[in-house]
């Protein structure tokens, strides 16, 4: 996200996309935004769909300085 962009205008997933992600067998989803849900959401449906189906979420992912290639990605979940 560019510094002049407002967090309220950030992109996010809808519940249909979250359901598709877990049905396809993904184990992790990453987004270069503040949240997989709308920042105005109070019920956080995408978080609930993904996490209740054991899909890890990585938010604020910035790979802009990573060169193209094959990598092993590792992160810790509490």
């Amino acid at each position: 996200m560019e510094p002049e962009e407002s967090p309220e205008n950030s992109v996010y997933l809808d519940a249909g996309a979250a359901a598709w992600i877990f049905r396809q067998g993904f184990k992790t989803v990453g987004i270069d935004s503040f949240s997989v849900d709308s920042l105005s959401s109070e019920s956080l449906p995408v978080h609930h769909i993904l996490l209740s189906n054991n899909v890890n979420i990585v938010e604020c992912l910035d790979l802009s300085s990573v060169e193209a290639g094959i990598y092993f990605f590792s992160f810790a979940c509490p």
Side-chain angles (χ1 to χ4, degrees):
M1 176 171 282
E2 296 298 320
E4 64 274 0
E5 291 184 55
S6 170
E8 293 80 30
N9 296 329
S10 64
V11 297
Y12 56 91
L13 301 175
D14 67 10
W20 182 89
I21 287 168
F22 101 80
R23 282 195 314 268
Q24 298 305 307
F26 286 80
K27 298 297 180 194
T28 303
V29 63
I31 190 167
D32 61 349
S33 189
F34 294 104
S35 177
V36 290
D37 275 296
S38 167
L39 294 178
S40 63
S41 174
E42 294 183 15
S43 60
L44 305 173
V46 174
H47 279 85
H48 289 286
I49 291 169
L50 295 175
L51 295 175
S52 68
N53 287 287
N54 298 314
V55 179
N56 299 298
I57 301 169
V58 181
E59 298 171 328
C60 296
L61 185 61
D62 180 6
L63 301 176
S64 61
S65 62
V66 178
E67 293 185 30
I70 297 173
Y71 295 89
F72 177 79
F73 181 70
S74 178
F75 65 99
C77 293

